[in-house]
Amino acid sequence: MVSPSKVVLGTGAVEELGEYVDQYGEKPLILASEEIYDIHGQKVENALAENDIEPVLYRDVRPDPTVENIEEAYDLWETEGCDVIVTLGGGSSIDTGKGVGILANNEGDIREFGTDRAGEESVPNPIPPLIAVNTTAGTGSEATRSVVVTDESTSTKFLILSQNVVPEVAIEDPELTVSLPRSHTSFTGIDALTHAIEAFVSIKSYSVPDDFARNAIRRISDSFTKAWANGENIEARTEMMIGQLQAGQAFTNSSVALVHGMARPLGAQLHIPHGLANALLLPYVMEFSVIGAPEKYAEIGRLMGNVDEDTPDRGAAERASDAVLALCEDADLTGYLEDHGDVPPRDEYLEIVDEMAEDAINSGSPANNPRKPTEEEIRELYIELYDDALAPDSPRRS
């Protein structure tokens, strides 16, 4: 089983950070965006001060971190002689931290570790100790062997997979998620649901991650809209934090599938945040994939409370995507495209569909889908997504 060595969960968990840093080293590099550090940095500094620890700060983490972002943070790690990585934030800061760790203990450029070039388990040496202080309830990256990096030179994202990048400690303090705006509560919440659903239906699924996925689907379906509607609902925030952790444990021990394969090119080309890209695609991919695993999708519909036990599997399976669409509508998901994406006119979009479909196939993730898509079917899904949800005058946006 892939999992962090230690999970610290509960309100006030961040106060234990100094104790864990002290166990692993003396000079931590803290990785965060400027925005996140302005909100939570003082709590982190106070926790470290309790153990007389002075950190080195890197406050330039970007959403969807780039090759250059990771290299810049690594240069600071080297210059300052750091020995522990502390990430403060969500998936972007954690992926940046994992990238720094890869460069610290392995030879080569970060691009060379991508699965498209080196396959899975491509990181030969374990990264230095990484302590992930999570401030979102979505990516599950603090529990995974995944690193997603943007290569701006090619407008693509690449994936690194290795058990050697899993954090040592995950600190899950739901109070740190209260500051999340509704937009990012929406993106990260449906992102977590995507992780759970893809892990559950993947052809690589098995009993242990399936149980993580079931619990995550149930928790997220029940608490997501509560957390979105009232960000100060600490019970809902706690349930979301547990749900996203379980979803992360599910997909890192199973796999992601077609949604993620399509979301990476879509996000890279249209500058859509990873969680939002996953969330936009999820209902369409579920509808496409039902015939490959109707019993699994039927169970998803029941776990989400959209189907009763007496409904036959095929009918229940077809209603599972309706339950996801309802959550997306409740949280005004497509409404955020105005400020969180660069959607081109349809003719320009069609010009990049072939490239996105090829990138999706090359990522390897679609091969894990219960219904294996052809490149042409992926093209058709991209076009359906545009006409139904991306275009300004599309049904879901208007």
Side-chain angles (χ1 to χ4, degrees):
M1 280 292 295
V2 176
S3 187
S5 300
K6 176 75 174 179
V7 176
V8 187
L9 173 68
T11 55
V14 70
E15 296 170 10
E16 299 183 39
L17 174 61
E19 298 173 27
Y20 287 101
V21 169
D22 199 37
Q23 288 181 27
Y24 293 105
E26 299 176 350
K27 197 170 188 180
L29 173 66
I30 299 179
L31 301 156
S33 69
E34 188 169 350
E35 179 183 13
I36 291 296
Y37 204 83
D38 285 345
I39 297 170
H40 301 299
Q42 193 60 57
K43 291 180 182 177
V44 167
E45 290 186 18
N46 291 344
L48 294 175
E50 289 290 322
N51 291 75
D52 298 320
I53 296 169
E54 292 187 14
V56 176
L57 303 181
Y58 179 80
R59 298 176 49 159
D60 294 320
V61 168
R62 292 176 47 179
D64 303 319
T66 64
V67 169
E68 291 74 20
N69 206 190
I70 289 170
E71 289 174 342
E72 185 179 70
Y74 169 66
D75 287 343
L76 184 61
W77 165 276
E78 278 284 284
T79 301
E80 296 292 335
C82 299
D83 54 12
V84 183
I85 301 167
V86 175
T87 63
L88 176 65
S92 295
S93 64
I94 298 170
D95 281 349
T96 304
K98 290 176 178 178
V100 169
I102 291 170
L103 295 179
N105 284 358
N106 297 272
E107 294 292 330
D109 297 331
I110 194 70
R111 185 65 186 87
E112 299 307 312
F113 296 95
T115 55
D116 58 334
R117 297 188 181 183
E120 295 191 19
E121 296 304 326
S122 58
V123 180
N125 300 316
I127 65 173
L130 192 159
I131 301 171
V133 181
N134 198 13
T135 67
T136 70
T139 70
S141 187
E142 72 276 19
T144 74
R145 61 189 183 101
S146 308
V147 191
V148 179
V149 185
T150 298
D151 184 347
E152 290 187 319
S153 68
T154 57
S155 295
T156 59
K157 292 184 179 182
F158 63 93
L159 176 68
I160 300 170
L161 287 176
S162 175
Q163 294 189 41
N164 283 333
V165 304
V166 181
E168 285 289 334
V169 182
I171 293 181
E172 310 278 9
D173 188 336
E175 289 183 335
L176 301 186
T177 69
V178 170
S179 63
L180 272 180
R182 277 188 168 181
S183 58
H184 287 70
T185 298
S186 181
F187 306 162
T188 56
I190 301 292
D191 188 26
L193 183 63
T194 304
H195 293 152
I197 288 174
E198 289 225 284
F200 192 58
V201 302
S202 163
I203 63 171
K204 294 182 177 179
S205 67
Y206 60 98
S207 59
V208 176
D210 275 1
D211 283 343
F212 281 130
R214 287 186 181 97
N215 287 328
I217 292 167
R218 190 182 296 110
R219 271 198 163 92
I220 294 166
S221 299
D222 181 63
S223 56
F224 168 63
T225 52
K226 297 174 186 176
W228 181 85
N230 176 11
E232 295 183 1
N233 183 335
I234 200 67
E235 182 178 349
R237 291 289 195 185
T238 301
E239 286 295 295
M240 283 300 299
M241 184 150 266
I242 297 170
Q244 67 87 37
L245 175 64
Q246 292 174 323
Q249 290 171 309
F251 86 79
T252 204
N253 286 287
S254 178
S255 68
V256 291
L258 179 56
V259 174
H260 278 72
M262 292 181 66
R264 293 186 201 106
L266 182 72
Q269 292 284 356
L270 273 60
H271 307 111
I272 296 174
H274 173 71
L276 178 56
N278 273 347
L280 288 165
L281 283 159
L282 180 59
Y284 305 98
V285 172
M286 289 177 68
E287 189 175 359
F288 169 83
S289 305
V290 157
I291 60 174
E295 70 290 343
K296 283 283 186 90
Y297 284 101
E299 187 171 356
I300 290 167
R302 295 183 181 111
L303 288 166
M304 295 186 70
N306 198 46
V307 183
D308 61 43
E309 293 296 330
D310 297 328
T311 304
D313 278 359
R314 185 58 187 267
E318 291 172 349
R319 289 175 60 185
S321 61
D322 294 338
V324 171
L325 271 172
L327 282 182
C328 292
E329 290 174 4
D330 286 346
D332 192 28
L333 192 78
T334 55
Y336 295 117
L337 279 168
E338 190 71 30
D339 297 320
H340 298 278
D342 185 14
V343 180
R346 193 175 192 273
D347 57 342
E348 293 180 21
Y349 180 83
L350 293 178
E351 291 176 2
I352 60 172
V353 163
D354 286 354
E355 181 182 350
M356 290 196 298
E358 183 180 358
D359 288 343
I361 288 287
N362 289 341
S363 75
S365 297
N368 301 324
N369 209 57
R371 176 181 174 181
K372 292 190 177 181
T374 64
E375 198 166 317
E376 178 57 34
E377 287 170 331
I378 291 177
R379 290 190 195 97
E380 291 170 0
L381 282 167
Y382 274 132
I383 294 169
E384 180 184 6
L385 173 69
Y386 186 92
D387 291 338
D388 196 48
L390 291 179
D393 59 351
S394 61
R396 286 181 64 193
R397 287 191 70 178
S398 59

